[in-house]
Amino acid sequence: MTMEFASRCRGTSRIPADPSRPYVIEKGEGDRAHLFGDLITVYAGGEQTENAFNFFTVEGPKGDIIPAHLHADTYEVFYVTQGAVRLFVEDTEGRQTERLLTPGDFGFVPKDCPHAYRIERHHSQIVGVAAGPGGTFERFFETLGTPAEALGLPATPYVPEPERFASVSQQFDVRFLAGHEWGTSA
Amino acid sequence: MTMEFASRCRGTSRIPADPSRPYVIEKGEGDRAHLFGDLITVYAGGEQTENAFNFFTVEGPKGDIIPAHLHADTYEVFYVTQGAVRLFVEDTEGRQTERLLTPGDFGFVPKDCPHAYRIERHHSQIVGVAAGPGGTFERFFETLGTPAEALGLPATPYVPEPERFASVSQQFDVRFLAGHEWGTSA
């Protein structure tokens, strides 16, 4: 059984518009977006949970570290299900750490903590949950990046226009930290 | 590097008591509990997220369907990472569905929807997120069940005293539905 629904964010989506409706989405068939070389797939968001939480996956190839950023009002989970991902985090007192996460490992980034990650094996996958008292930001990825209908990683990376970073970030509680350096091994 | 912290719920835990502190927990080393034949491992909870959300895994052997229940104020995610799990859900109008979830498949159960699941392959694992406007309930499992220090599934199932179901359930927004029947294939 395959059902599709019209939604606020997508012409068609496997996520029901009615938040009181139970649903199942098969692997890969959530709302997809491309941002740089990564595929982001949203399975649930603030509209489904009275803004309590969201649930999405990030899949990508082995690549560079992403730009350092923080969320002033959002807690974020990095749970690796495939491959290997190096998580860089700085606490609110400026102490930096990095850890390699392999499948089943869990990283937690509190609000206001600068962080970044680097995918270190091809075909890696991160499960993400990102929410806080201010709500959820799962539509950040398709807004800074681009919605995708195709399955699989972007054929070519989607690179946003530079001026988009500031405007989109403000809208979704993401603050990029230009010039931030990791004094660990990054 | 292995760090342990004193916590409100545990003598020692890999979850920092200070909610502003970033952390990593390796696979299996979250706060563990046994309930019937299952191992529940909590990696983050309401104390870490200002009650926005939690994150836990449920691992179990192939077995029977669990008792039907609902959460009046909690949305719940069933994301399967290993094995196969059959999810049974009834919507608020009484329509029942069941779906077999295999790795990467995602099930969403809104508040007030009766649901249950049956693990259909040994070594299955579900990632769970369960939260809503009323908060999170990750300590339900160790309160109805029992905290565990050992790694791995319970050597023998932990069966709670019957009178515990009502008292613990009320405390954690879980309502068991005695006599509930699934008219699908269960």
Side-chain angles (χ1 to χ4, degrees):
Chain A
M1 180 180 63
T2 296
M3 301 188 72
E4 291 197 334
F5 307 94
S7 79
R8 190 172 61 83
C9 302
R10 299 285 177 136
T12 60
S13 172
R14 301 292 164 93
I15 303 174
D18 173 2
S20 72
R21 185 162 176 174
Y23 63 96
V24 164
I25 299 179
E26 290 181 13
K27 179 179 172 63
E29 297 196 331
D31 289 354
R32 298 177 292 285
H34 292 167
L35 179 56
F36 298 103
D38 293 347
L39 167 69
I40 297 91
T41 308
V42 173
Y43 291 92
E47 292 180 308
Q48 283 67 55
T49 62
E50 297 182 47
N51 290 317
F53 65 89
N54 55 19
F55 194 98
F56 57 93
T57 60
V58 178
E59 293 163 84
K62 181 173 171 174
D64 296 330
I65 190 168
I66 70 159
H69 62 282
L70 63 75
H71 313 292
D73 209 22
T74 303
Y75 298 86
E76 192 165 8
V77 158
F78 294 79
Y79 180 76
V80 173
T81 56
Q82 295 173 44
V85 177
R86 189 170 297 272
L87 180 64
F88 300 83
V89 192
E90 183 177 304
D91 68 18
T92 51
E93 293 171 353
R95 287 178 296 230
Q96 295 186 344
T97 54
E98 58 161 272
R99 288 285 293 274
L100 185 69
L101 307 182
T102 57
D105 294 344
F106 174 92
F108 186 79
V109 178
K111 66 182 185 183
D112 274 329
C113 291
H115 59 283
Y117 64 84
R118 183 172 66 212
I119 294 178
E120 298 204 343
R121 294 292 184 278
H122 290 300
H123 305 292
S124 288
Q125 180 180 275
I126 306 163
V127 163
V129 182
T136 69
F137 68 38
E138 63 280 354
R139 302 297 169 182
F140 165 75
F141 306 103
E142 67 189 28
T143 307
L144 182 57
T146 186
E149 293 301 323
L151 296 165
L153 297 184
T156 55
Y158 181 88
V159 181
E161 299 294 324
E163 62 271 19
R164 299 273 299 153
F165 281 84
S167 61
V168 173
S169 302
Q170 196 169 30
Q171 185 185 347
F172 289 99
D173 189 24
V174 178
R175 180 147 65 89
F176 286 103
L177 304 168
H180 189 87
E181 292 191 1
W182 295 103
T184 51
S185 74
Chain B
M1 180 181 64
T2 296
M3 301 188 71
E4 292 197 335
F5 306 93
S7 79
R8 189 171 61 82
C9 303
R10 298 286 177 136
T12 61
S13 172
R14 301 293 164 90
I15 303 175
D18 173 2
S20 71
R21 185 162 177 173
Y23 63 94
V24 164
I25 299 180
E26 291 180 12
K27 179 177 171 62
E29 296 196 332
D31 290 353
R32 298 176 292 285
H34 292 168
L35 180 56
F36 297 103
D38 292 348
L39 168 69
I40 298 92
T41 308
V42 173
Y43 291 91
E47 292 180 309
Q48 282 67 55
T49 62
E50 296 182 49
N51 290 317
F53 65 90
N54 55 19
F55 193 98
F56 57 91
T57 59
V58 177
E59 293 163 85
K62 181 173 170 173
D64 295 330
I65 190 169
I66 70 159
H69 62 282
L70 62 76
H71 313 293
D73 208 23
T74 303
Y75 299 86
E76 192 165 9
V77 158
F78 293 79
Y79 181 76
V80 173
T81 56
Q82 295 172 43
V85 177
R86 189 170 296 272
L87 180 64
F88 301 83
V89 191
E90 183 178 304
D91 70 17
T92 51
E93 294 171 352
R95 287 178 296 231
Q96 297 187 342
T97 54
E98 59 161 273
R99 286 286 292 274
L100 184 69
L101 306 182
T102 57
D105 293 344
F106 174 91
F108 187 78
V109 178
K111 67 182 185 183
D112 274 330
C113 292
H115 58 283
Y117 63 84
R118 182 172 66 212
I119 294 179
E120 299 205 343
R121 294 292 184 277
H122 291 299
H123 306 293
S124 289
Q125 180 181 276
I126 306 163
V127 164
V129 182
T136 68
F137 68 39
E138 63 280 354
R139 301 298 167 179
F140 165 76
F141 306 103
E142 66 190 30
T143 307
L144 182 59
T146 185
E149 294 301 322
L151 297 165
L153 297 185
T156 55
Y158 180 88
V159 180
E161 299 293 325
E163 62 271 20
R164 300 274 297 154
F165 281 84
S167 60
V168 173
S169 301
Q170 196 168 30
Q171 184 185 348
F172 290 99
D173 188 23
V174 179
R175 180 147 65 89
F176 286 103
L177 303 168
H180 189 86
E181 292 192 1
W182 296 102
T184 50
S185 75

